[in-house]
Each structure stands twice: as structure tokens, then as C-alpha cells.
Amino acid sequence: MEKHIFRTSIISSHLSQENLEAELTMNPTASKKSEEIANFVEIFPILKAEILKDLPLMDMPKDKIEWIDKLIEINVAGGKMNRGLTVLHSLQLLVEGRTLTRSEIFKANVLGWCVEWLQAFFLVADDIMDQSITRRGQPCWYRQTNPSSSNNSLIGNIAINDSFILESCIYTLIKKYFRNEPYYADVLDIFHETAYQTELGQLLDLTTQPNRGDFSMFTLDTYRRIVKYKTAYYSFYLPVALSMLMAGIVSKPSFDTARDILLPMGEYFQIQDDFLDCYGEPSVIGKIGRDIEENKCSWLICQAILNGTPAQIALLKKHYGLDSKVDVEIVKRIYNEIDIQKIFRQYEDQSYGQLVEKIKLVKIMPQEVFLKLLSRIYKREV
């Protein structure tokens, strides 16, 4: 029953329940997409059970097993799952001319969930560091009620250790399902390497605003370095690289080509994210944006510095990075005065065009791998 409810809720986020049957009948593409989503969602309880079943053998009490169960359910499940599904989608395009076996589909989805687990690890930790309020439409994990508390205290800093637990689950799953695969060591390497790259990106992000009102480090070069490491590697390069390993691709030029396209695509995605942090509806994007309050080196503030008048920049230095509604509104007013939305739309179209032209030059692997991924994020609203 739990699995059915979970599966239905995910599918319903893409197609309303009452229209699902008609949509699947009339639109074979939608039918295939929904089937892929359903298959992906369906193995989540299996993977969670694999993690939980070892805990009694490690002398974990029942209440702590329930804690980890809830930790996984709330933080790993319930996202858009784009990163995880990219592994299977890319593998299907890489093995042109044949149909994937059931085993290949299952293993691609396992790796996809490992990517989702990695993101959950990052998000739980990131929300603490940024003092975020909501995540996926509910309180961040560290702001939720401590299940072991008798006075309704919050999980708080225990969530730091919980993030480590989420990361460790990845290697438990990889060992179980891939230990006998020839690419086992490569999968381990790329997960460790990607985690390290993302942590370096987080360090860059957290240390670019040492003094509020000091904009000396708020440059596009700094911004690009942050998002390359903090977002692009794990969100775009990792899922495709995993599919390449499954497809038996081992040549360095192939991975270099993928990196050359996917890292700029990740930058494009993060700039969209920065824009939505300021202008997206919390009920739609699932979180309350706090880049302004947190004094972040975001794309918007970099553009405001480049396009603002000296008077506007002086006001930004005075009000950017303060956690009050009045200060945030002043910053947003200046964004509107320089027409940041127009600047963003121009950037979005230009960046999309440049990526398409770069993809058209690819000969070493199917161009569709990159075009499909790009099409899923172009003009996105969430």
C-alpha cells in the first residue's frame, strides 16, 4: 500500500490522475515517459529496504532504524528526479540500435537513485549552512521535529550526521548491485570525485562574502567557478558519465567531450535557479529563495553590479545580505530598475543557442544525449 501511494503521488505530479489514462492512450511518448517514471519510483522502496535490513545486524535500536527510514523517505524521495532519470535516458541513447535488457534498466535506475541520494546528502547539509526554511514544500530536515525528543525540539545539528548517513547509503547500494561489474571501481571513483568537487564548490560559495557590503569578489568569473563545482559536475556530468560507463565507453576523448558540453549546461541551469530563487513562486519551486538574505554571489547580483548605476550599486551594498523584508524589497526594486528579467531572458536564449551549436559539432557519441537533456531544462519554471 505504501509503495502504491508513493508511486501514484509521483506520477500525479506529472499528469493529473483523472487525465492520466486518456493521456497515455492518446500520447505514446507520454505513456513511455510515465512508465519510465513509474519504474524508477517503484524500485525506491526496494533500495531503502536494502539499507534498513542491515541496521539490526549493526545493533541499531528500532527507533533509530525508524529515524533513518524517515530520513531517507523525506530527503531522497519527492524531488523532480531529473538527475536520476538522466542515467537511464542517456544509456538508452548511447546503445543505439538495440533495446536495453531488464537488468540494464534496473541497474541504470539504481545508479540514478544513487545520484538522488547524493543530492539529498548535499541538500540536507546545504540547508543547515544556508539556514534555509523549506525544501520541496516542507520544512528543511534540520527544522523538523526530533523524533526522539519529548519536548518537540528540532532535529537541528543532528542533521549534519544524517547527511553523512545519506552519503554512506550510496556506497552500500553500489557494492550490492555493482561489485561484479567491470566498471565497479570507475563508478566508485566518479562518485567520490564528484562529491569532492561539489564540496569544493560549496567552500567557494560560502567564502565569497566575507564582509557584507564588500562586492569585490562578486564577479562573473567567481560565480562561474562556484557553479561549475557546486552544481554542474553532480547535476549534469555525473549522470551522463555513469551511463557512459554502463555503455562500455572508456575513451578519454568521449568523457572530455561530455564534460565540455555538460559543465556549461550546468552553469546555464544554475543561472536559471538563481533567477527562480528571486522570482519563482515558493509553492511552485518548493522552497523559499534566500540568496539575497544570505549575501550569495548569485548571477543576479553580479549582473546588477555590471548594469547598475553608481547610486544603485551603493544602495545594493547597503541593503544586500540583510535578513529583513524591507532590505530584500529594495534589492528587488533595483533588479527591476535594471530590467534583470530582460537580461536573463536574453542570456537564456543566447546560452541555449551556443549550447546547441556546440552539440552539433559532436561526432564521438550521439548528439541526442545532450539535446534531450538540454530540452528538459530550456525555459523551465521549476
Side-chain angles (χ1 to χ4, degrees):
M1 183 66 177
E2 177 188 351
K3 179 167 71 175
H4 173 74
I5 292 171
F6 177 67
R7 172 174 169 168
T8 301
S9 68
I10 296 295
I11 294 174
S12 297
S13 69
H14 295 264
L15 296 170
S16 64
Q17 197 66 24
E18 61 269 22
N19 294 329
L20 178 60
E21 185 176 342
E23 178 70 19
L24 299 187
T25 302
M26 298 171 59
N27 190 339
T29 301
S31 176
K32 181 180 179 183
K33 179 180 178 182
S34 294
E35 182 181 356
E36 288 174 350
I37 294 170
N39 290 338
F40 187 68
V41 168
E42 198 167 57
I43 72 167
F44 173 76
I46 299 171
L47 302 182
K48 186 177 70 169
E50 287 294 337
I51 300 297
L52 298 179
K53 77 176 186 180
D54 290 337
L55 296 176
L57 304 175
M58 302 170 74
D59 202 25
M60 285 291 103
K62 184 172 182 286
D63 65 317
K64 299 305 179 284
I65 295 173
E66 291 172 351
W67 179 301
I68 294 173
D69 187 348
K70 184 179 180 183
L71 166 71
I72 294 171
E73 190 72 35
I74 288 178
N75 294 291
V76 181
K80 294 185 288 291
M81 304 181 295
N82 289 332
R83 294 168 179 83
L85 286 164
T86 294
V87 181
L88 176 62
H89 293 159
S90 299
L91 182 61
Q92 289 171 331
L93 295 167
L94 288 169
V95 294
E96 291 176 302
R98 72 171 180 85
T99 302
L100 293 174
T101 66
R102 289 176 64 87
S103 175
E104 287 174 322
I105 292 171
F106 178 80
K107 288 190 172 183
N109 282 334
V110 171
L111 287 178
W113 275 114
C114 286
V115 176
E116 295 291 320
W117 243 281
L118 184 70
Q119 186 189 27
F121 155 50
F122 293 148
L123 295 183
V124 168
D126 187 63
D127 284 343
I128 301 168
M129 289 180 266
D130 288 349
Q131 291 294 288
S132 298
I133 307 299
T134 59
R135 174 68 66 181
R136 294 172 179 169
Q138 60 183 332
C140 297
W141 177 251
Y142 81 99
R143 293 175 58 87
Q144 297 206 17
T145 302
N146 184 334
S148 299
S149 169
S150 59
N151 61 358
N152 292 324
S153 64
L154 301 181
I155 290 172
N157 287 340
I158 299 173
I160 298 171
N161 189 66
D162 287 341
S163 73
F164 300 157
I165 291 173
L166 290 171
E167 183 190 26
S168 296
C169 292
I170 297 166
Y171 300 104
T172 298
L173 295 172
I174 292 173
K175 181 178 180 180
K176 175 174 178 58
Y177 291 105
F178 298 94
R179 192 172 189 177
N180 295 322
E181 296 292 343
Y183 51 83
Y184 174 58
D186 291 324
V187 168
L188 289 175
D189 280 349
I190 197 167
F191 269 100
H192 283 301
E193 183 177 285
T194 303
Y196 185 45
Q197 288 163 333
T198 309
E199 289 152 6
L200 292 175
Q202 181 73 343
L203 174 65
L204 291 168
D205 184 32
L206 295 171
T207 56
T208 52
Q209 62 275 54
N211 299 302
R212 198 196 66 77
D214 178 2
F215 286 178
S216 61
M217 298 180 73
F218 285 7
T219 68
L220 286 177
D221 283 344
T222 299
Y223 176 80
R224 291 188 180 105
R225 187 181 301 112
I226 292 170
V227 301
K228 172 183 175 181
Y229 286 98
K230 185 179 177 182
T231 301
Y233 273 108
Y234 96 88
S235 296
F236 288 84
Y237 178 69
L238 173 63
V240 175
L242 289 170
S243 71
M244 292 168 68
L245 291 173
M246 281 196 69
I249 297 173
V250 296
S251 72
K252 184 177 182 299
S254 295
F255 285 92
D256 288 344
T257 296
R259 194 180 293 108
D260 186 49
I261 292 169
L262 294 168
L263 295 186
M265 199 181 297
E267 179 183 320
Y268 167 72
F269 174 88
Q270 184 58 54
I271 290 171
Q272 289 177 317
D273 212 54
D274 287 3
F275 181 80
L276 291 171
D277 183 274
C278 184
Y279 291 102
E281 286 294 328
S283 61
V284 176
I285 65 175
K287 63 179 181 178
I288 298 172
R290 284 183 54 83
D291 283 356
I292 294 172
E293 293 93 326
E294 295 299 322
N295 200 35
K296 290 290 186 181
C297 178
S298 77
W299 184 82
L300 278 72
I301 191 64
C302 290
Q303 290 296 333
I305 293 167
L306 289 173
N307 292 278
T309 65
Q312 288 170 328
I313 294 171
L315 270 178
L316 287 170
K317 287 182 177 181
K318 182 178 179 181
H319 297 281
Y320 192 78
L322 292 175
D323 195 352
S324 83
K325 187 175 181 179
V326 171
D327 292 294
V328 170
E329 287 304 315
I330 290 172
V331 172
K332 288 186 177 182
R333 188 193 76 209
I334 296 172
Y335 285 171
N336 291 333
E337 287 172 357
I338 67 167
D339 205 350
I340 195 74
Q341 298 197 47
K342 179 181 178 182
I343 294 171
F344 170 72
R345 297 303 175 196
Q346 289 174 338
Y347 161 80
E348 189 173 36
D349 290 337
Q350 181 184 28
S351 183
Y352 176 80
Q354 289 172 344
L355 283 165
V356 169
E357 289 305 310
K358 183 176 283 192
I359 292 168
K360 286 180 180 179
L361 299 175
V362 173
K363 306 295 183 186
I364 201 168
M365 55 195 295
Q367 296 177 2
E368 196 67 14
V369 172
F370 307 111
L371 290 173
K372 281 280 188 183
L373 189 52
L374 181 59
S375 70
R376 289 203 294 272
I377 64 171
Y378 182 52
K379 301 286 187 183
R380 70 186 179 99
E381 299 293 331
V382 295

